[in-house]
Amino acid sequence: MSDFDIIVIGSGPAGQKAAVQASKAGKRVALIERDALLGGACVHRGTIPSKTLRENALRVNNMRKNAALFQFKLSEDLEMATLIDRLDDVMKSHDEYMRRQIDRNTIKRVHGRARFLSPNEVEVTSVRGEKQVLATDYVVIATGSFPRKPDQVPIDHENIFDSDSVLSMLYLPKSLAVLGGGVIASEYASIFQALGVRVIMIDRYPRPLGFLDKDLTDNFVNAFQDMGGVWMGDSVVKRVYFDGVNDVITELEDGRTIITQKLLCAAGRVANVKDLDIDNAGLELDERGVIPVDGQLRTRVPNIFAAGDVIGPPSLASASMEQGRRAACNAIGLKVGSMPEMIPVGIYGVPELSSVGMSEQEARKAYGQIIVGRAPFAEIARGHISGNQDGMLKLVCDAEGRRLLGVQIVGEEATELIHIGQMALLSKSDVDIFVESIFNFPTLAEAYRVAALAVIGQRARRNSVY
Ligand SMILES: Cc1cc2nc3c(=O)[nH]c(=O)nc-3n(C[C@H](O)[C@H](O)[C@H](O)COP(=O)(O)OP(=O)(O)OC[C@H]3O[C@@H](n4cnc5c(N)ncnc54)[C@H](O)[C@@H]3O)c2cc1C
C-alpha cells in the first residue's frame, strides 16, 4: 500500500489548495516544500511583497499630488526596508496561518526538495541531506516558476536584478531601467516611478501589456509618463553590463545606450522543474517550456496532475489556487466542471488595470459591429471627491448593445470593481442590469451605470436609424 493517496509538491497557491481539497475529501495527503516558509513565490517573492511596496508607493504619490496639504519630500538614500516595512509581519502571519490550516487538515508537511523516482515514488532530500522515499497513488506538481534569464542580461542581484531579487536592493535607486512590457515589468516600473525613481521601460513591442484593451494600455502609458517615466517601445536590447563603478549600461540594437543606476529584467517566467527529474516520471516539458496538461489538469502520465505557474499562463495566484483545487478533485475522482473561461486579470500598476471577458479589439474582430460605453472616473462623483479622476470603465457589448462581452477598467480600485462586471458576465445579464439596479452613492461602482447608459443611448440611436 502507498504511504499517501496524494502527494503535492510545492506549497504556493496551487499546492496549498490542492492539498487542503484532497485532505477535506478524506485522503492521506503529503505536502512537500523545499523552502523554510510555506506560501511559494506568491508570498515570498511575488504578489505579496510587490503589493506591500505598492501600498507605500501610492501613499508617496498621493502626498505628492496633495502638495498643498503636505510638505512632503522623500529622504535621499531611502532604505528599501523602510518601504516594505510590514512585509516580514505579513509573510510570517501568512506562514503561520497556512501551517495551522495544513495541520488542522492533518496534511503531512514534509520539508525538503522533491524529485521523482518513478510516477508513484517521490524522493525528498532534507536540508541536512537525509533522504526519504514516499510512495503515492497520485501526485500534483505545483512547483511554480522562476524568472527567465535572457543571455544578454547578466543578472548579478546587486546591480542587475530579476523579479525575485529586486526587492533585495538596499536603497531606493535614483534611476532604474526595466526590461520587459508584461505584467511584472509594468507593475514594478510604475511602482518605482511613483516612488520618485527615474524609470525607463524598454520592450521590443510597441506598447506594454499588449494582451489588454488598447484604451487601458494607452491610459497606463500616459499616467506612467505623466509621473516622469519613459516608455521605450519597439526597442530591442543587444547587451547589458555593469560599468564596474556606478551604472548599468543598456545597449539597444538601434545603437542607443541607456545609463541607469540599477536594472530590473522582467522578461517572463519559466516552469520550475529543475530539481524534479520529471523524466523519471515519464514527463517532459512542451515547446513553451511548461508541463502540458489536459482540461482536467492531468499530465500525459495518468496519475500525475499539475497546476499553477508550472503549466503556464495565466500565471496568476488567483487562477493557480483554483487549478490546484481542481487538480486534486480530478485526481481523487470528485466531480468538477471545466475551469471557467472568464478569469479576471488584475494588474497592480500605478494606476491599476483590470479586465474580464473581451477587449474592444477582440470583440470587433469576433463580431464586427459592437457598442462600447465609457465612463471616465472624472464624471463620477466619487472620483471628484477622492481626487481619483484619472480612471475609466468600459463596457463592451454586442451590436444590439444588449449582451455584455467584456469589462475593461483602468484606475484605482479597478481590480475590485471588475468583479461586479464579472458577475454580470457569468450570469449572462443584459447591460441594462447596471441601470436597473441601484448603486451606493457616491461610489466608483456607479461608473457601471454611467457606462451602461452610454451603451443604451447608442443602442437607441442605432435603432432609430434602422
Ligand atoms: C513580482 C510578482 C508579482 C505578482 N503579482 C501577482 C498579483 O498581484 N496577483 C496574482 O494573482 N498573481 C501575481 N503573481 C503571480 C503569482 O505569484 C503566481 O502565479 C503564483 O505564485 C503561482 O503559484 P504556484 O503555486 O503555481 O507556484 P509558487 O507560488 O511559485 O510556489 C511553488 C512552490 O514550490 C516549491 N518547490 C519548487 N520546486 C520544489 C521541489 N523540487 N521540491 C519541493 N518544493 C519545491 C517552491 O519552493 C515554492 O514554494 C506575481 C508574481 C510575481 C513574480
Side-chain angles (χ1 to χ4, degrees), residues 10 12-14 33-34 40-42 47 51 114 144 269 308-309 315-317 348:
E33 172 55 58
R34 64 176 183 193
C42 171
T47 316
K51 265 82 263 181
R269 294 178 70 91
D309 280 15
S315 305
L316 291 169
Y348 295 82

Side-chain angles (χ1 to χ4, degrees), residues 206-226:
R207 64 188 177 104
L209 304 165
F211 60 93
L212 276 189
D213 192 286
K214 189 163 180 308
D215 267 351
L216 265 54
T217 49
D218 286 352
N219 187 303
F220 174 78
V221 172
N222 288 341
F224 176 61
Q225 299 203 340
D226 284 350

Side-chain angles (χ1 to χ4, degrees), residues 53 99 127 138 189 229 236 267 316 358 398 433:
L53 179 68
R99 244 165 240 273
V127 267
Y138 294 97
V236 180
L316 291 169
M358 287 187 176
D398 66 359
I433 195 172

